[in-house]
Amino acid sequence: MTDSLAIVGAGAAGAGAAYALRDSDVDVTIFEKSRGVCGRAATRRKEGCRYDHGANYIKDADGRTTDLLSELGEDGLVDIEEPVWTFDADGQISEGDGDRDAHKWTWEDGITQLAKRLLAQTDVRVDQPTRIASVERGDHWHVTDTDGETHGPFDSLLLTPPAPQTAALLAESKWNDERLPALIEAVGAVSYRTIRTYVLDYGFELDVPYYALVNTDKNHAVGWLSREECKPGHVPDGETLLVVQMSPEWSTDHYDDPLDESVPTVAQMVAELLDDERLATPEWVDDQGWRYALPNDGAVDDVIRSAEDERLYFAGDWVVGDARVHAALWNGIETGERIGESLRGD
């Protein structure tokens, strides 16, 4: 009889886990709340432009990511050549260090290609848009969506949403196990930084030597600014498209501000930072709020793994405490491998 696995979330971790099980006999179903895949590694299209408005690229920490991306297909794969520079609270721009100039991978079709290409190597079923509201453990695992439909049974369950959402799922679970309170506490203890992203388009090209700027002292309202035109296939020639991610403090304070009210303030900050008054009046704009953008730390590992004998698993950047796409990806892959080993051992 084929073993089955339910994965909640088709982000980098969920897609990575499915990819790890591609050659196994495990029947995998992913439940994803949105119409896209890859979570905060998100791509949009507007006015002839394509832009990565969440995670900007995939960093290669140890070489294995580059190898994996190559295996997934090098067609359309982009390594951003221009460097990342820094700026401080006073807006003083400086050249970046060597570490920030390492591989910065994305695709001409956008960073969502990561999950799309991982999943294309599998026969996994992606059920979307389906938001899971609760989970239940009897002889097997079942999940219930917000429409009241129950899915299952599944032999194993992998939860990959941000920690606060995963803690809420656990709190609504029907699972009579003494470990549950400790799990809810450990997962819920992971704190997050909130980020609001603004996308600003201009009908002219910027003449600067860098791809992006990052605020290193964490005392500027702008946390990150990058140029999508540095990514082939993203922006028409002769245009500039800036992805501006505001600081966690500013983002929290202005998370619900109407776009038309907040854009003039943000655009003026950008104009002052880059010393170019033309940037105060973008041709068109877009935005996205990420309530749970970046985990500040990781969950307690021995608590998180305490329920694996009941076939309950967790994966994501919040599990390892590293707010990077490659961290979520590899944690998902490693968790998927562990699930496969557990099922083969039965």
Side-chain angles (χ1 to χ4, degrees), residues 20-87:
L21 293 164
R22 66 194 182 282
D23 296 325
S24 72
D25 292 328
V26 181
D27 184 8
V28 180
T29 302
I30 298 180
F31 298 94
E32 169 55 44
K33 67 179 181 179
S34 71
R35 296 187 181 277
V37 295
C38 220
R40 199 173 61 84
T43 306
R44 281 185 185 162
R45 294 183 181 183
K46 183 175 180 178
E47 301 290 337
C49 295
R50 181 181 285 110
Y51 45 97
D52 301 325
H53 57 290
N56 306 105
Y57 56 83
I58 304 168
K59 186 176 179 180
D60 188 4
D62 55 16
R64 59 179 176 170
T65 304
T66 297
D67 293 340
L68 174 60
L69 298 186
S70 178
E71 292 172 6
L72 294 177
E74 295 186 350
D75 54 305
L77 184 63
V78 173
D79 188 2
I80 305 166
E81 296 180 356
E82 292 83 355
V84 176
W85 285 15
T86 65
F87 66 97

Side-chain angles (χ1 to χ4, degrees), residues 239-260:
E239 292 185 27
T240 291
L241 187 69
L242 300 181
V243 174
V244 184
Q245 296 180 342
M246 306 305 289
S247 72
E249 293 77 13
W250 193 97
S251 297
T252 299
D253 291 342
H254 301 277
Y255 192 82
D256 295 317
D257 289 359
L259 181 60
D260 60 350

Side-chain angles (χ1 to χ4, degrees), residues 89-328:
D90 297 324
Q92 181 65 42
I93 297 173
S94 304
E95 291 191 33
D97 56 42
D99 179 64
R100 297 187 186 278
D101 298 337
H103 289 299
K104 302 182 288 293
W105 297 111
T106 186
W107 287 266
E108 293 180 8
D109 288 338
I111 199 168
T112 55
Q113 284 291 305
L114 173 62
K116 290 179 179 179
R117 295 190 181 205
L118 289 167
L119 295 174
Q121 301 293 317
T122 76
D123 58 2
V124 62
R125 174 173 173 263
V126 182
D127 191 330
Q128 62 187 147
T130 302
R131 182 187 292 269
I132 299 303
S134 64
V135 302
E136 181 177 355
R137 173 67 171 172
D139 292 334
H140 295 82
W141 287 100
H142 291 78
V143 298
T144 301
D145 62 36
T146 51
D147 292 328
E149 182 177 354
T150 297
H151 309 264
F154 300 100
D155 296 297
S156 299
L157 173 64
L158 169 60
L159 302 179
T160 71
Q165 295 171 339
T166 295
L169 274 178
L170 292 173
E172 294 296 322
S173 68
K174 298 176 181 178
W175 179 37
N176 185 22
D177 191 286
E178 62 182 10
R179 290 166 291 190
L180 183 57
L183 277 169
I184 295 173
E185 181 180 1
V187 176
V190 178
S191 62
Y192 274 76
R193 288 161 280 169
T194 293
I195 300 294
R196 187 168 180 181
T197 295
Y198 290 82
V199 179
L200 312 177
D201 178 80
Y202 305 91
F204 56 85
E205 292 185 76
L206 282 180
D207 183 18
V208 295
Y210 47 79
Y211 153 65
L213 300 174
V214 61
N215 176 222
T216 51
D217 60 17
K218 312 299 182 184
N219 288 316
H220 197 285
V222 175
W224 167 275
L225 179 152
S226 57
R227 302 164 52 222
E228 286 295 289
E229 62 269 24
C230 294
K231 302 174 181 177
H234 281 229
V235 180
D237 292 342
E239 292 185 27
T240 291
L241 187 69
L242 300 181
V243 174
V244 184
Q245 296 180 342
M246 306 305 289
S247 72
E249 293 77 13
W250 193 97
S251 297
T252 299
D253 291 342
H254 301 277
Y255 192 82
D256 295 317
D257 289 359
L259 181 60
D260 60 350
E261 294 181 12
S262 56
V263 160
T265 298
V266 172
Q268 185 59 48
M269 290 181 190
V270 170
E272 293 174 2
L273 177 62
L274 272 61
D275 194 23
D276 189 335
E277 194 57 34
R278 297 177 299 169
L279 301 175
T281 53
E283 293 197 358
W284 59 262
V285 301
D286 195 5
D287 77 323
Q288 174 67 49
W290 306 96
R291 182 77 69 183
Y292 306 119
L294 307 169
N296 289 312
D297 47 23
V300 179
D301 187 64
D302 58 346
V303 177
I304 290 299
R305 295 185 61 169
S306 66
E308 292 189 2
D309 62 330
E310 288 290 322
R311 307 281 184 78
L312 176 62
Y313 299 83
F314 304 89
D317 55 3
W318 61 271
V319 174
V320 292
D322 186 357
R324 299 281 188 174
V325 177
H326 71 269

